[in-house]
Amino acid sequence: MASTSTTFQRWTAHITPYLLYLITIVTLGPLQFGFHLAELNAPEAVIRCIDQPSLLTALLLPACIPMTSGQFSVVSSIYTVGGLLGALTSGSLTTKYGRVLPMRLGTLFFIVGPILSSLAPSIPVIALGRFISGVGAGAAIVVVPIYISEISPRESKGLFGALTQITINVGILASQVLGYFLSYGNMWRVVLGVAGGIALLQGLGLVGVCESPDWLATMGKTGKAERTLERIRGGDTQDEVGKWGTAQEGQDEYDSLLHGEENNQSASPTKHSSEASIGILKVIVHPDHYCAIIAVIGVMLAQQLCGINSVIMYSVSFLRDLLPTTAGIITIGVGALNLVMTIACAPLSDRLGRKTCLLISIAGMGSMSLTLGFALLFGVQILAAVATLLIVASFAVGLGPIPFILANELVGPEAVGATQSLALSANWIATFLVAQFFPILNEALDQGRVFFLFAGLAVVFFAFVLLWVPETRGKKDADEVWGRDRRED
């Protein structure tokens, strides 16, 4: 009991109202990512005119947009193409200009995209809206996990890092619930437009969001970084600022600020600032980073290729034949369970370790994909429903939250932007493959056999994590994670 109390006090020691404000505002980005990811799942039949549409129109817009299965796959998957573009471009932006600017720019895409999608009269317009929303989502999923990791107390990085996946799940659940109740007439347009209001709220909230102290320190602004960190922590921060340089370096930078920008520019940079411009190509070939690149990209691929988005994006369609009256309700259950399990499992990565949680998660998803394949093949309704829910529960244990925090723990701050961009680019490509080809493979293989493929991939990724990915829990920096001697040059 005393141990539990001590652990709780350690986790909450540096949690302030301002820290909670920062995390609340920035995680609206991942929330919108999840919302857009799942927004077409429940209302698919209405949007495509499969269900009898209402004869009424609103604002001279059609009640539905006729689409084939292939065209709908393109509309769904083009969101991930935009996400790939956002992920590729945001890494360099966040390295050069900080974490806040890319988040502010992302809100513009999050506003314009839903406007186009919700008012779309045709396939090209709804696809364009989805693409633009994807750009904002790609940027958010790169920048927000970095920012959260850099402002979170070391003892709680895993807990707060899980908030990225938690808010993604909130977005997924919100879109599934809205889709279930508004899948008629023109009301599906409301589902597609709601995210624009969330983006507007985030844009206003970002006005009060400060820059990342780690990024400021990396750019040589250690005095400003320390003052920013003190504002976030609400107290003494000496234990955390040690990694930025000596106290004298911080004082020199503070003095330079007092005497003007000219002196500030001539101030000696910290050790990290000399490496602040490391880009994607340099990160790939850098001897200190290429192992981390392989590890992070591999885990990101595992997150998608173990099959989670086949459930998030298409559960209504693959369960409709077997469970025609309850597929929509099960989909809401999927979203709710995903959220509850992610919240419940959030502390696990800080207690069991990142690697252990990943292995448990992959093993669970693989075994449940195999079970779901057999359940759909032999028409066992209850088993199909349970397996679908357990795939989501297994995902929440590790593959959901952990990939988003690994980049910041496996490389130094000078390379985290490029690493996160590479990792999220791989993630978006894998998401595109699932979004575009799952309906095609499911139709070609018939009766759930595609889930045997996901089970096989889970075996491969289990071996990869076991043999390649190091444990990062409790490690001070990337040098300690990889067992390197800290270099001072």
Side-chain angles (χ1 to χ4, degrees):
M1 192 69 179
S3 176
T4 302
S5 176
T6 302
T7 301
F8 179 77
Q9 291 174 355
R10 179 166 51 87
W11 277 349
T12 59
H14 297 293
I15 297 176
T16 63
Y18 186 56
L19 173 64
L20 296 178
Y21 169 81
L22 295 177
I23 290 177
T24 299
I25 295 300
V26 301
T27 51
L28 290 177
L31 184 148
Q32 291 167 88
F33 162 74
F35 191 98
H36 290 300
L37 188 68
E39 66 186 355
L40 300 182
N41 188 1
E44 175 187 352
V46 174
I47 296 174
R48 292 177 54 197
C49 304
I50 294 174
D51 288 351
Q52 182 67 33
S54 167
L55 296 178
L56 298 177
T57 60
L59 300 177
L60 302 179
L61 296 172
C64 62
I65 302 174
M67 299 183 211
T68 65
S69 179
Q71 289 171 327
F72 185 76
S73 294
V74 171
V75 170
S76 295
S77 61
I78 201 169
Y79 172 68
T80 66
V81 178
L84 175 60
L85 178 62
L88 286 172
T89 56
S90 59
S92 58
L93 284 176
T94 193
T95 298
K96 293 180 181 178
Y97 302 108
R99 318 315 190 199
V100 176
L101 178 62
M103 288 190 283
R104 289 175 177 167
L105 293 175
T107 59
L108 298 178
F109 291 92
F110 277 138
I111 292 171
V112 174
I115 290 174
L116 290 175
S117 295
S118 61
L119 299 178
S122 61
I123 294 175
V125 178
I126 192 173
L128 178 61
R130 295 267 301 162
F131 175 82
I132 291 173
S133 296
V135 175
I141 295 301
V142 169
V143 180
V144 172
I146 296 173
Y147 185 81
I148 290 177
S149 182
E150 290 175 344
I151 66 172
S152 299
R154 185 189 304 170
E155 315 79 46
S156 307
K157 283 185 183 293
L159 178 64
F160 283 112
L163 290 176
T164 298
Q165 187 61 35
I166 288 172
T167 51
I168 288 173
N169 294 337
V170 171
I172 291 171
L173 178 60
S175 66
Q176 302 284 33
V177 171
L178 285 175
Y180 180 78
F181 289 106
L182 298 179
S183 292
Y184 62 90
N186 257 307
M187 293 306 294
W188 59 269
R189 296 182 182 277
V190 175
V191 179
L192 272 56
V194 163
I198 300 173
L200 183 60
L201 177 63
Q202 184 186 24
L204 295 173
L206 282 171
V207 173
V209 169
C210 65
E211 187 50 80
S212 160
D214 273 19
W215 181 81
L216 292 171
T218 299
M219 302 306 292
K221 303 176 181 179
T222 51
K224 185 176 181 180
E226 183 171 353
R227 293 191 299 277
T228 301
L229 187 60
E230 287 174 353
R231 182 186 178 194
I232 296 172
R233 295 285 181 268
D236 181 66
T237 59
Q238 289 304 310
D239 290 343
E240 294 185 73
V241 302
K243 62 180 179 180
W244 297 337
T246 65
Q248 184 59 47
E249 287 174 327
Q251 184 62 44
D252 289 345
E253 205 276 340
Y254 178 72
D255 291 341
S256 72
L257 287 173
L258 290 178
H259 290 90
E261 185 65 21
E262 221 175 64
N263 288 342
N264 185 34
Q265 290 176 348
S266 65
S268 297
T270 64
K271 180 185 73 169
H272 288 309
S273 67
S274 63
E275 301 181 55
S277 63
I278 289 183
I280 290 176
L281 292 179
K282 288 184 179 180
V283 165
I284 292 174
V285 299
H286 198 291
D288 282 356
H289 301 316
Y290 72 87
C291 287
I293 293 291
I294 295 172
V296 176
I297 288 178
V299 173
M300 283 292 185
L301 291 176
Q303 187 188 62
Q304 298 303 323
L305 296 181
C306 286
I308 186 61
N309 277 328
S310 65
V311 175
I312 299 299
M313 300 178 75
Y314 297 112
S315 57
V316 170
S317 62
F318 74 70
L319 290 174
R320 185 184 292 128
D321 291 340
L322 188 61
L323 301 163
T325 60
T326 57
I329 295 175
I330 291 175
T331 297
I332 293 177
V334 163
L337 181 64
N338 199 6
L339 174 59
V340 171
M341 286 297 297
T342 302
I343 294 172
C345 296
L348 285 183
S349 66
D350 284 328
R351 302 187 69 175
L352 300 180
R354 304 349 179 198
K355 184 171 183 174
T356 300
C357 288
L358 285 172
L359 292 173
I360 294 171
S361 182
I362 294 171
M365 290 191 71
S367 60
M368 287 303 103
S369 291
L370 189 66
T371 303
L372 179 57
F374 281 118
L376 293 173
L377 183 62
F378 294 108
V380 184
Q381 293 183 345
I382 185 64
L383 187 59
V386 171
T388 300
L389 294 172
L390 289 181
I391 285 175
V392 173
S394 299
F395 179 77
V397 173
L399 277 180
I402 292 174
F404 294 113
I405 63 176
L406 276 185
N408 202 65
E409 297 182 338
L410 291 177
V411 298
E414 74 282 355
V416 70
T419 302
Q420 193 80 311
S421 280
L422 280 170
L424 268 299
S425 296
N427 187 286
W428 281 108
I429 291 171
T431 305
F432 170 79
L433 293 175
V434 175
Q436 177 64 37
F437 295 108
F438 175 81
I440 299 171
L441 287 174
N442 191 45
E443 188 174 325
L445 297 177
D446 197 22
Q447 295 182 322
R449 289 182 174 88
V450 67
F451 287 98
F452 297 148
L453 175 62
F454 290 133
L457 288 170
V459 173
V460 174
F461 286 118
F462 184 94
F464 171 80
V465 172
L466 182 66
L467 300 174
W468 188 270
V469 179
E471 180 56 68
T472 63
R473 179 186 60 152
K475 304 296 176 64
K476 184 166 62 174
D477 53 27
D479 292 321
E480 186 177 350
V481 169
W482 295 101
R484 297 188 297 254
D485 293 330
R486 182 184 295 276
R487 294 193 302 261
E488 300 297 332
D489 57 328

